[in-house]
Amino acid sequence: MLLPALLLVAHSGLAGATDTTPNGAVYNGRARELDVRVPRVEAGIETDGRLDEPAWRAAAILTGFSQFSPADGRPAQDSTEVLVWYSATAIHFGIRAHEAHGIVNATLADRDRLGAEDRIEILLGTFDDGRQAYVFGVNPLGVQMDGTLNETGALRAGGFSDGGAQSREEPDLSPDFVFTSKGRLTETGYEIEVEIPFKSLRYQSAGTQSWGLNVVRRVQHSGHEDTWAPAARASASFLGQSGKLVGLSDLRRGLVLDVVPEISQRIDGERTPTSAFDRRTGDIQVGGNVRWGITSNLTLNGTVRPDFSQVEADAGQFTFDPRQALFYSEKRPFFLEASELFATPSNLVYTRRIVQPVAAAKLTGKVSGTSIAFLSAVDDRSGSLEAGASHPVFNILRVQRDLGRQSRLGATYTDRIDGDGFNRVASLDGRVVLGDIYSARFQVAGALDRANDVDLDGSLWNLRLDRNGRNFGASYVVSGIDPDFRTRSGFIGRPGIANARLVHRYAWYAPPGALWQSVTPDVTLDGTWQYRTFTRRGDMQDKKLHLNVNSVLHGGWGLGVSYLVESFGFD
């Protein structure tokens, strides 16, 4: 009886051992297996960068990555596997990145500063509209970058840095989301584990839903970008080529309620002639912030006397053109929440105009294909144009409606009341995608302004046409700003001008393994008029001709040559 007993014990031990061999369904991107049915696993795991828990055995497996940059449509040189599953409260991603061709570049970099790192980017379109997505990036050591991508068609077209070869828009990395990541280097590359709580996301209210998904791998030593869902450079939309996570159901955010009270006090002091220290104590200021997820797709934020002393200071900037105002990005957390929903082509919403809010409230979300963003704020007296006589009041409304597969129409209204003065701006804008590679974007706006008993009214308009072909690309932009156009809730770098810009570029792609992977020459013509001179068909004030040749070499190196002819006039 001893031998059977030992065999039974051995069998029981094997049965209880942790078997991490994946047995989930495999979805090959190059085979166009892009509808991923994500398994639901009711298990809690530790995010430690090791994909050895039993939950990972059931995960769906994404394989078959394709090269996107510098040349699309080719099999990726490095193998990548992405495992994905979800629980009631979070979605989990595990990445196994194999590297057989070079070293893995990874450091303990600052958050959102992963430009020189190997990294994985997860693009999650929770509204499945092919227009906007959350971006969660992680380097091999688990350092995070995150933000939002709201496609507007405003690709850089022409220039010394990229030669017009950019084929996907960069995300806005200003927002920060709560998610967990951990990574580690392995003998064959690196592994990353990511957990994204549903509390950190806004998504559809449907019981069962689909989310857009693409995964981008950046290989630093080669300069390649690989994507799971094959993406063509000849396309007006990168997000529109994503795959899908299907069958997501019974997602539980729980109560989304953040309450952050704040108490601050300022003490100033200086030494007196008798060497005593004279201190002046200010009043105690009590305030705070509240964030409430009303539903999965609507969020309400409020703030009362917020303290922004912990916010990162602005970096200094050089004034290259004294006629152009300097732009400083928003960094205050309250205003960063859903900031992508306020974005307009000509920056008619610039929340840094609100200097120090006494109180503010914001409602943001997306319902049935319509994005809604409303902000109301009472500013400190120091923001008044009338020497602190009153508290300026801001009301900002932005609405966007999805049209068809990729197009959209938006409207914006801003109202700033400052004592007897006011500033009101109404705008209509849209983006139309025609076919796969053509797109058009427009905006028209009118403003009424009263300040110091002076009334002004003016208009703003712009039009952009793009052809984003794989080889031949072109961009045509024309815009105008009336000198009497004022927006005291937005940012206009240089009013009273009209501008026209024409860019043509052509890209050649070499076979795999060649020294020169791509060569992209482009020519740019740019002209700027005083607005009233433009309406009278007068001569340009600034004239520019740029000839650029940019190339990508084997190993990720870039080489560029430019010849620039420019002339400037002054007011």
Side-chain angles (χ1 to χ4, degrees):
M1 295 296 293
L2 181 59
L3 182 59
L6 290 175
L7 291 175
L8 179 61
V9 171
H11 177 75
S12 300
L14 290 173
T18 300
D19 182 4
T20 59
T21 304
N23 58 10
V26 178
Y27 298 87
N28 189 300
R30 290 190 58 80
R32 308 296 301 182
E33 298 169 349
L34 302 181
D35 288 345
V36 180
R37 187 158 295 278
V38 190
R40 183 182 179 117
V41 181
E42 299 298 342
I45 65 171
E46 180 183 359
T47 305
D48 56 5
R50 299 180 181 274
L51 310 179
D52 53 6
E53 291 94 343
W56 293 107
R57 293 186 57 223
I61 306 170
L62 315 184
T63 63
F65 277 59
S66 302
Q67 187 182 132
F68 175 73
S69 177
D72 58 352
R74 301 171 180 174
Q77 292 184 1
D78 299 287
S79 174
T80 309
E81 291 181 351
V82 178
L83 283 64
V84 55
W85 58 276
Y86 76 104
S87 64
T89 58
I91 187 165
H92 299 259
F93 292 89
I95 296 96
R96 292 192 178 104
H98 302 281
E99 179 53 76
H101 302 93
I103 62 172
V104 174
N105 292 275
T107 66
L108 296 176
D110 293 332
R111 185 171 185 149
D112 295 337
R113 304 292 179 86
L114 303 185
E117 311 276 315
D118 279 73
R119 66 180 183 269
I120 297 292
E121 296 180 19
I122 300 168
L123 284 75
L124 210 54
T126 54
F127 288 95
D128 194 25
D129 56 9
R131 298 169 175 85
Q132 57 187 353
Y134 292 96
V135 179
F136 298 95
V138 185
N139 83 347
L141 299 182
V143 179
Q144 299 177 352
M145 60 170 275
D146 53 352
T148 57
L149 176 57
N150 184 26
E151 286 192 333
T152 63
L155 292 170
R156 291 194 304 268
F160 179 79
S161 61
D162 53 44
Q166 183 193 20
S167 291
R168 69 183 185 104
E169 296 178 51
E170 295 294 327
D172 177 9
L173 300 181
S174 300
D176 290 328
F177 302 103
V178 177
F179 71 107
T180 307
S181 62
K182 187 79 173 185
R184 66 187 183 95
L185 301 180
T186 66
E187 294 181 356
T188 60
Y190 59 92
E191 286 188 357
I192 296 173
E193 190 174 355
V194 178
E195 178 183 357
I196 305 172
F198 296 138
K199 282 189 175 183
S200 296
L201 305 174
R202 294 189 307 274
Y203 51 86
Q204 309 156 64
S205 58
T208 301
Q209 52 192 280
S210 298
W211 292 0
L213 173 71
N214 208 344
V215 181
V216 179
R217 178 181 176 183
R218 170 72 178 180
V219 183
Q220 181 64 18
H221 73 81
S222 66
H224 289 185
E225 278 191 347
D226 304 328
T227 63
W228 167 68
R233 299 176 69 84
S235 176
S237 171
F238 180 78
L239 293 179
Q241 303 177 75
S242 301
K244 292 182 186 296
L245 301 177
V246 300
L248 298 169
S249 61
D250 192 22
L251 309 183
R252 303 171 193 168
R253 299 178 85 206
L255 176 62
V256 180
L257 181 62
D258 300 331
V259 180
V260 184
E262 297 176 348
I263 300 177
S264 61
Q265 185 180 36
R266 177 171 176 166
I267 301 176
D268 295 324
E270 62 182 357
R271 287 196 178 277
T272 65
T274 60
S275 297
F277 205 79
D278 181 21
R279 292 181 176 86
R280 295 179 295 277
T281 303
D283 295 334
I284 295 177
Q285 180 171 293
V286 179
N289 299 278
V290 177
R291 173 178 175 262
W292 175 33
I294 303 173
T295 65
S296 62
N297 57 351
L298 284 176
T299 301
L300 178 65
N301 296 76
T303 187
V304 175
R305 299 189 180 279
D307 175 31
F308 296 125
S309 61
Q310 78 281 9
V311 176
E312 176 187 1
D314 294 315
Q317 297 187 32
F318 292 102
T319 304
F320 173 73
D321 185 346
R323 302 168 299 178
Q324 188 79 23
L326 294 179
F327 178 88
Y328 290 93
S329 59
E330 181 62 85
K331 298 180 180 180
R332 297 171 293 180
F334 172 81
F335 295 106
L336 287 176
E337 172 78 23
S339 59
E340 71 278 6
L341 299 184
F342 288 96
T344 68
S346 294
N347 286 328
L348 294 184
V349 178
Y350 183 53
T351 52
R352 291 197 62 155
R353 297 294 186 198
I354 305 173
V355 179
Q356 179 63 47
V358 176
K362 179 166 60 174
L363 178 67
T364 56
K366 187 168 186 176
V367 180
S368 302
T370 301
S371 298
I372 302 171
F374 175 72
L375 170 64
S376 183
V378 178
D379 203 2
D380 188 75
R381 291 180 184 272
S382 60
S384 174
L385 297 177
E386 300 179 359
S390 62
H391 289 276
V393 178
F394 291 80
N395 290 291
I396 300 172
L397 175 64
R398 171 75 170 154
V399 179
Q400 295 181 87
R401 176 67 184 176
D402 295 344
L403 301 175
R405 190 168 62 95
Q406 292 293 322
S407 303
R408 62 170 56 170
L409 185 66
T412 306
Y413 177 75
T414 67
D415 185 8
R416 182 183 187 275
I417 302 172
D418 185 1
D420 294 331
F422 62 84
N423 176 260
R424 299 184 179 110
V425 178
S427 167
L428 183 68
D429 64 270
R431 183 180 184 228
V432 180
V433 177
L434 305 172
D436 292 326
I437 64 174
Y438 295 96
S439 64
R441 193 182 72 173
F442 72 91
Q443 182 176 33
V444 291
L448 296 175
D449 183 81
R450 175 179 294 171
N452 300 320
D453 297 325
V454 177
D455 291 348
L456 296 173
D457 64 273
S459 61
L460 171 150
W461 50 268
N462 56 68
L463 175 65
R464 178 179 181 130
L465 305 174
D466 288 284
R467 184 189 193 276
N468 194 37
R470 186 175 189 270
N471 298 107
F472 175 70
S475 179
Y476 309 100
V477 184
V478 60
S479 62
I481 306 173
D482 189 283
D484 290 335
F485 181 87
R486 298 287 187 275
T487 170
R488 304 193 188 275
S489 302
F491 179 88
I492 299 297
R494 184 184 173 191
I497 62 170
N499 178 263
R501 179 180 171 91
L502 290 78
V503 181
H504 293 94
R505 57 100 175 159
Y506 193 91
W508 284 279
Y509 301 97
L515 174 62
W516 300 81
Q517 298 192 37
S518 69
V519 179
T520 308
D522 72 79
V523 57
T524 300
L525 295 173
D526 189 292
T528 301
W529 292 259
Q530 287 290 313
Y531 186 81
R532 292 196 172 103
T533 303
F534 175 81
T535 58
R536 295 193 299 264
R537 301 181 183 180
D539 194 17
M540 290 177 282
Q541 185 180 51
D542 302 339
K543 304 174 184 179
K544 300 176 184 179
L545 169 63
H546 293 180
L547 303 174
N548 307 285
V549 179
N550 290 269
S551 59
V552 178
L553 281 65
H554 183 72
W557 291 91
L559 178 64
V561 178
S562 291
Y563 179 71
L564 313 177
V565 180
E566 301 181 347
S567 65
F568 298 91
F570 289 88
D571 302 345

